[in-house]
């Protein structure tokens, strides 16, 4: 028998998802030109509808989409959005910025400005992504101007860009939703590395330092039983031998980690490290060579 709390959580989830679908359809109708509105999983919309009708027991993924917005004559911004299942009232969206004409510092400044706007000025009782987009269009030039002034005053123009690799250990990685979110985050940021689910779980992320730090910050903000940054490695961006992985991948299949108490296959994992010039991480991660 369901408890009162479980019933209330289900009501909240259904109401949140219903609002998300309404906003999804609104944005899709507004940004209807070819290439403006995109999603990698159009089937999820139908899955959520089935869940709301009661013909599906659960929804294991989060609604996500990308919108391309012309900010000025020379600048087009791609807004990549991942909605938490309890958005808008109890979870904030994960928002990523990508452009062809701005640098990473400017993209990060836009992202931070959006997050501050959501935190301080948005009414979260209703979906607000369209409000965020309108606000960004109105304030885009000011955000970029402030970023340029700040960058010029604190950063040496000759300062070298760096690449970074983060090794993360988790007590376990089972959740399908977390695994999907990590995959999407890394791929949307065009980062390399891998995730090895199970107990324990290991995540390795490499790429431009600013992007790596941003993704790790998001991952650390989630609820974990235990999560530790084991090792951080950095190098000059011109070091062509630093990056070891080709794209980001989840090593085990989804079936491998269904349920709990799935332990790591040490032999297979150590062989994977060896194949990617990372055997030294056996000591760092597990205390033996």
């Amino acid at each position: 028998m369901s408890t009162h709390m479980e019933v209330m959580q289900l009501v909240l989830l259904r109401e949140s998802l219903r609002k998300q679908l309404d906003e999804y359809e609104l944005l899709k109708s507004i940004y209807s030109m070819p290439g403006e509105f995109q999603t990698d999983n159009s089937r999820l919309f139908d899955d959520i509808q089935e869940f709301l009708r009661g013909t599906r027991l659960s929804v294991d993924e989060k609604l996500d989409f990308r919108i391309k917005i012309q900010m000025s004559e020379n600048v087009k911004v791609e807004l990549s959005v991942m909605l938490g299942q309890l958005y808008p009232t109890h979870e904030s969206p994960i928002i990523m910025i990508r452009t062809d004409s701005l640098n990473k510092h400017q993209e990060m400044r836009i992202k931070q400005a959006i997050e501050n706007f959501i935190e301080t000025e948005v009414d979260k009782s209703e979906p607000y992504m369209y409000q965020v987009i309108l606000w960004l269009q109105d304030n885009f030039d000011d955000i970029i101007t402030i970023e340029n002034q700040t960058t010029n005053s604190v950063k040496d123009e000759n300062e070298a860009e760096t690449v970074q690799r983060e090794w993360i250990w988790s007590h376990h990685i089972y959740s399908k939703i977390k695994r999907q979110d990590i995959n999407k985050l890394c791929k949307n940021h065009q980062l390399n590395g891998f995730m090895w689910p199970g107990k324990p779980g290991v995540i390795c992320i490499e790429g431009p330092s600013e992007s790596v730090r941003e993704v790790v910050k998001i991952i650390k903000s989630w609820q974990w039983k235990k999560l530790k940054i084991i090792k951080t490695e950095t190098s000059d961006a011109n070091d062509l031998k630093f990056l070891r992985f080709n794209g980001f991948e989840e090593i085990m299949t989804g079936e491998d980690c269904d349920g709990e108490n799935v332990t790591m296959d040490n032999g297979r994992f150590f062989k994977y490290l060896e194949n990617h010039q990372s055997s030294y991480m056996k000591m760092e991660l597990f205390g033996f060579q």
Side-chain angles (χ1 to χ4, degrees):
M1 181 180 295
S2 299
T3 66
H4 176 70
M5 182 63 70
E6 289 172 337
V7 171
M8 294 301 294
Q9 289 176 339
L10 181 59
V11 170
L12 174 61
L13 175 60
R14 288 181 177 277
E15 181 62 22
S16 299
L17 292 176
R18 187 174 290 108
K19 289 180 177 180
Q20 289 180 31
L21 291 191
D22 289 343
E23 181 177 51
Y24 183 95
E25 290 192 307
L26 171 66
L27 293 172
K28 190 175 181 180
S29 67
I30 293 173
Y31 300 98
S32 57
M33 297 296 290
E36 277 190 324
F37 186 96
Q38 297 178 323
T39 181
D40 293 327
N41 188 1
S42 57
R43 172 63 193 171
L44 180 57
F45 185 92
D46 297 329
D47 290 346
I48 294 175
Q49 286 185 317
E50 291 175 7
F51 174 72
L52 294 177
R53 288 195 298 264
T55 57
R56 186 182 183 90
L57 293 178
S58 64
V59 177
D60 295 327
E61 298 183 62
K62 297 179 181 179
L63 201 61
D64 67 310
F65 51 85
R66 298 183 302 279
I67 300 177
K68 292 183 179 178
I69 309 163
Q70 195 74 43
M71 292 296 176
S72 66
E73 183 178 352
N74 299 318
V75 180
K76 179 178 285 188
V77 170
E78 180 181 273
L79 208 64
S80 179
V81 181
M82 185 188 303
L83 302 179
Q85 289 195 323
L86 298 183
Y87 164 88
T89 56
H90 288 68
E91 286 187 66
S92 296
I94 295 175
I95 299 174
M96 290 160 281
I97 302 295
R98 186 179 300 163
T99 71
D100 292 329
S101 51
L102 302 178
N103 60 44
K104 288 292 183 182
H105 296 285
Q106 291 170 319
E107 291 178 358
M108 193 63 63
R109 171 61 186 167
I110 296 169
K111 174 179 167 59
Q112 291 169 347
I114 291 174
E115 290 173 346
N116 183 65
F117 173 70
I118 291 173
E119 182 66 27
T120 60
E121 299 187 43
V122 163
D123 175 10
K124 299 182 179 64
S125 62
E126 296 295 334
Y128 48 79
M129 280 312 306
Y130 185 49
Q131 181 184 352
V132 167
I133 293 171
L134 294 179
W135 175 85
L136 180 59
Q137 289 176 313
D138 288 341
N139 293 274
F140 182 79
D141 289 340
D142 291 340
I143 295 170
I144 295 302
T145 299
I146 293 172
E147 164 59 21
N148 288 340
Q149 292 172 347
T150 303
T151 300
N152 290 336
S153 64
V154 302
K155 184 180 178 183
D156 185 342
E157 292 183 358
N158 295 319
E159 180 184 347
E161 296 293 331
T162 61
V163 285
Q164 184 167 323
R165 181 163 45 247
E166 293 280 1
W167 294 89
I168 305 170
W169 177 95
S170 174
H171 177 272
H172 65 266
I173 304 176
Y174 296 135
S175 167
K176 286 184 178 179
I177 292 178
K178 279 182 181 174
R179 287 155 56 196
Q180 290 162 356
D181 289 352
I182 291 169
N183 271 297
K184 287 178 181 177
L185 277 172
C186 292
K187 289 175 180 177
N188 285 340
H189 278 79
Q190 298 179 314
L191 298 174
N192 300 336
F194 70 90
M195 172 173 50
W196 197 291
K199 182 179 181 180
V202 175
I203 306 166
C204 176
I205 303 172
E206 65 176 22
S209 293
E210 198 158 14
S211 295
V212 172
R213 287 194 293 266
E214 176 63 21
V215 168
V216 171
K217 177 183 176 182
I218 293 171
I219 293 173
K220 288 174 64 179
S221 71
W222 300 339
Q223 186 174 357
W224 298 88
K225 182 171 183 178
K226 192 171 184 180
L227 188 81
K228 296 191 297 184
I229 305 297
I230 298 298
K231 189 178 183 67
T232 299
E233 301 172 281
T234 59
S235 185
D236 186 276
N238 295 320
D239 183 357
L240 300 180
K241 296 182 179 180
F242 180 80
L243 300 179
R244 300 172 184 165
F245 302 92
N246 183 21
F248 189 87
E249 60 179 342
E250 179 177 341
I251 304 303
M252 301 172 74
T253 64
E255 289 75 18
D256 287 327
C257 283
D258 283 350
E260 298 185 358
N261 300 319
V262 178
T263 58
M264 174 180 284
D265 182 340
N266 287 343
R268 184 179 169 205
F269 179 65
F270 294 161
K271 184 65 176 177
Y272 181 82
L273 291 179
E274 181 182 338
N275 290 340
H276 291 84
Q277 299 81 50
S278 301
S279 293
Y280 61 92
M281 286 305 301
K282 289 189 289 185
M283 174 63 73
E284 302 278 356
L285 290 165
F286 305 109
F288 58 85
Q289 296 181 341

